[in-house]
Amino acid sequence: RASIALCVFIFCLGMVAILLSGQTSPSQTSVTSSDRPLKTTARKPDAVAVVIGISHYQNPNVPEVEFAVRDAEAMRDMLVQTLGYPSANVFLATDADASLAQLKPLMRQELKAKVRPGKSDVFVYFSGHGAPNADTHEGFLIPWDYNPNYHPSSDSAYPLKEFYADLASLPARSVTVVLDACFSGQSDARRGGKGGMVLKDASPAYIEVENSAMNLPNGLVIAATGPQEIATWDRPHQHGLLTYYMLQALRGEAADEQGRVTVERLKEYLQEKVPQAAEEARHRKQTPQVVAWDASQVLAQLPLSAIKTGQAVVEQSYGSLRITLLTGGDLYIDGVNEGPFQAGQVFNARQIPAG
């Protein structure tokens, strides 16, 4: 009996192992290429950034923004590793650290204190809820401690007009704003299969967010949606759609033949990729808005890809990566130097994980 019981026990363990081997753990699915920013030698010692992500709001009636903190952390890493922002100059505020009482001093005092007149490039990123005031049709950024029982006002949320006025007052060389939020009052949160409402007992409202980039000297504003649209989440990559494609663009997807990511190329890339992905994911319309003073502005100078320039050839192979270098030099993959290679030398990496 003991031997039979042991066999059954071992058989059961074997079945558990087989079942588990067919599943993907959260830690495996949570890492995508967008979470490994392209490492460059760019250095912007005077650049300053504020990165805000609010996933879980204090009031349980406010729908969560599932990937907002993850969005913010990925954008922080991209700013430091790809664009060359000093890590000490990147303010990261997530969840409870992004209350209204903290956000306004962060923007009006801490950020301003870091800006060097005429030398600093400023980058402000927000992932979370936006909402309209139904009476005034003004747009607001919703802080962590917002009360959804009342329409947003300057006492409970951050009015977009004040937000842009605060940025316009900075003596910065340039200001870039990225808002992965919508202002329809709706959310992509799945409550009973439907999106949640940011405002309690409210219907979706229409607001026309003003062309605020025109109020910013040397400004660039990138917003996730047009009026009445919902900011969609990219669940397979665990990011907001706008954020995911912003990260991909700055990994080289939107770069030209010289490795430059200009405002114009970024706009074309986002307005192609995001609407297509929103339609495929949720059968909805989402069109990012990109407004800038100078469409030819170079946002990033990325290393030239040896594959794009024809100096290396990638060969398809099952489960492995094979690269033949046609000219000698260093080989970087995801920012990691695989070492110097001679012309004609082959690099072969096996067992590459999915994603």
Side-chain angles (χ1 to χ4, degrees):
R1 287 181 183 178
S3 61
I4 294 174
L6 180 60
C7 290
V8 171
F9 177 69
I10 292 173
F11 174 77
C12 290
L13 283 179
M15 290 301 294
V16 170
I18 292 169
L19 288 172
L20 290 178
S21 68
Q23 299 174 355
T24 306
S25 69
S27 62
Q28 289 175 308
T29 59
S30 63
V31 178
T32 67
S33 61
S34 60
D35 298 306
R36 293 188 295 269
L38 190 65
K39 295 180 182 179
T40 73
T41 58
R43 294 294 179 268
K44 290 186 175 183
D46 300 316
V48 190
V50 171
V51 180
I52 303 162
I54 309 174
S55 286
H56 306 287
Y57 282 78
Q58 182 182 44
N59 192 304
N61 291 320
V62 179
E64 69 175 16
V65 184
E66 193 169 343
F67 308 123
V69 170
R70 181 181 168 84
D71 284 345
E73 292 171 345
M75 291 297 289
R76 184 266 317 272
D77 294 343
M78 182 277 296
L79 287 166
V80 173
Q81 297 188 41
T82 303
L83 299 188
Y85 281 56
S87 58
N89 285 5
V90 179
F91 297 99
L92 177 67
T94 60
D95 287 352
D97 291 330
S99 67
L100 185 63
Q102 292 165 296
L103 285 183
K104 288 187 177 181
L106 174 60
M107 297 293 296
R108 296 171 180 173
Q109 298 171 28
E110 295 182 66
L111 171 60
K112 193 170 187 176
K114 284 279 190 179
V115 173
R116 297 189 64 187
K119 294 184 177 181
S120 293
D121 296 309
V122 171
F123 191 106
V124 178
Y125 172 85
F126 179 89
S127 179
H129 284 307
N133 181 296
D135 296 325
T136 65
H137 285 195
E138 288 184 272
F140 291 80
L141 299 177
I142 301 301
W144 169 78
D145 52 347
Y146 175 73
N147 186 341
N149 292 303
Y150 304 99
H151 288 297
S153 68
S154 59
D155 295 327
S156 62
Y158 202 160
L160 280 177
K161 285 184 178 180
E162 288 186 20
F163 171 76
Y164 285 116
D166 292 338
L167 291 173
S169 70
L170 298 174
R173 180 171 65 178
S174 70
V175 177
T176 298
V177 177
V178 179
L179 301 178
D180 200 343
C182 60
F183 298 89
S184 64
Q186 298 182 82
S187 165
D188 198 29
R190 292 179 174 175
R191 287 187 171 182
K194 298 180 180 179
M197 296 300 300
V198 179
L199 307 178
K200 187 177 179 181
D201 300 327
S203 298
Y206 170 82
I207 66 167
E208 184 74 38
V209 177
E210 65 180 59
N211 219 352
S212 301
M214 295 300 100
N215 300 326
L216 294 176
N218 298 320
L220 166 64
V221 174
I222 302 172
T225 71
Q228 293 184 304
E229 295 178 352
I230 300 174
T232 306
W233 302 343
D234 185 336
R235 293 182 182 277
H237 297 109
Q238 299 183 17
H239 284 296
L241 268 188
L242 176 72
T243 298
Y244 173 72
Y245 284 106
M246 274 285 298
L247 294 169
Q248 290 297 90
L250 291 166
R251 281 175 54 84
E253 291 295 317
D256 63 14
E257 294 76 10
Q258 284 77 46
R260 300 172 302 186
V261 179
T262 64
V263 171
E264 185 62 32
R265 288 186 69 93
L266 177 63
K267 179 179 180 179
E268 292 174 358
Y269 177 82
L270 293 177
Q271 292 188 342
E272 174 191 353
K273 296 293 187 179
V274 174
Q276 180 181 348
E279 174 63 32
E280 291 176 356
R282 299 299 296 273
H283 303 292
R284 68 161 58 117
K285 183 179 180 181
Q286 180 179 343
T287 308
Q289 306 299 300
V290 180
V291 182
W293 279 90
D294 182 10
S296 64
Q297 177 188 356
V298 178
L299 300 175
Q301 176 65 61
L302 305 179
L304 287 176
S305 166
I307 296 169
K308 286 187 176 181
T309 58
Q311 296 177 314
V313 178
V314 175
E315 303 172 33
Q316 271 193 312
S317 182
Y318 294 104
S320 66
L321 173 68
R322 180 181 172 89
I323 301 175
T324 301
L325 286 88
L326 305 184
T327 60
D330 289 330
L331 173 65
Y332 286 81
I333 298 178
D334 271 343
V336 177
N337 191 345
E338 301 293 345
F341 285 79
Q342 302 297 320
Q345 193 172 350
V346 175
F347 171 82
N348 196 12
R350 299 191 179 277
Q351 296 183 343
I352 296 173

